[in-house]
Amino acid sequence: MGKVKDILYDISDILTAFCIVMIAGIVIWVSIGNIMQYPSFVAAEEKQSEKNTNFGLAVPVGDGTTSGSAVTGSAVGGKPAKGSNPELFSIYINYGESVSAIAQKFVDVGLFKSVDEFKTLVNQKNAASKLKSGNFIIPANATPDEVINKITTSPSA
C-alpha cells in the first residue's frame, strides 16, 4: 500500500509541474504579439513626447542692455566685434555628460579650437571630476582657463 501511495504522489507531482509549464507556455503564446510589439510602442511614445531638440546646446544670450531676446555684439570664431560688448553664451551641461560632449559644446561656439584642447586643459587642471552641471553664462572673450574655472564652480556663482 505504501508503494502505491508513493507512486500516486510522484505522478501527481509530475502532472502538477507539467500543468504549470503548459499554463506558462499558453500565457507566453497568447502574449507573444504584445511582447514583439513593445519596441514599436516605446518608439511611438518617445515620438509622441518630443523633447526640445535644443536642450543642452550652447546658445548666445543677450547681456541685458537690449529688450526682448535680442543678442548684443557679434561673435565670429568666438571673438566679439570691435567696439561692442562681448557676446554671452549660455551653455547647459547635463548631469553625467561626458567630457567629450561638454568639450564639443565649447568648440561649437568657438571658445575652444578643438575637443582635444579642452580635454588637455581639463586634465592639466585635474578638473574632470569637478565639472558641474547646469546652465553657465560665459562671455565670448573668456580665456580657456576662465571657461574651465567657470564650469568647475556652481552655475549661479
Side-chain angles (χ1 to χ4, degrees), residues 17-82:
F18 182 75
C19 287
I20 291 171
V21 169
M22 289 300 295
I23 291 172
I26 290 170
V27 168
I28 292 171
W29 182 263
V30 169
S31 302
I32 196 74
N34 292 335
I35 292 169
M36 296 305 287
Q37 290 177 352
Y38 183 73
S40 60
F41 173 76
V42 171
E45 284 294 318
E46 282 291 321
K47 188 173 183 179
Q48 206 170 32
S49 64
E50 284 285 324
K51 295 181 179 133
N52 182 355
T53 57
N54 291 327
F55 186 71
L57 299 177
V59 293
V61 295
D63 64 356
T65 60
T66 59
S67 63
S69 61
V71 177
T72 60
S74 78
V76 177
K79 305 298 179 208
K82 287 186 179 181

Side-chain angles (χ1 to χ4, degrees), residues 75-113:
V76 177
K79 305 298 179 208
K82 287 186 179 181
S84 68
N85 293 331
E87 185 174 9
L88 300 175
F89 291 106
S90 173
I91 299 176
Y92 190 84
I93 298 175
N94 295 305
Y95 179 79
E97 197 165 21
S98 71
V99 175
S100 296
I102 296 169
Q104 188 59 52
K105 291 178 184 181
F106 288 101
V107 170
D108 289 345
V109 296
L111 292 171
F112 283 87
K113 292 179 179 123

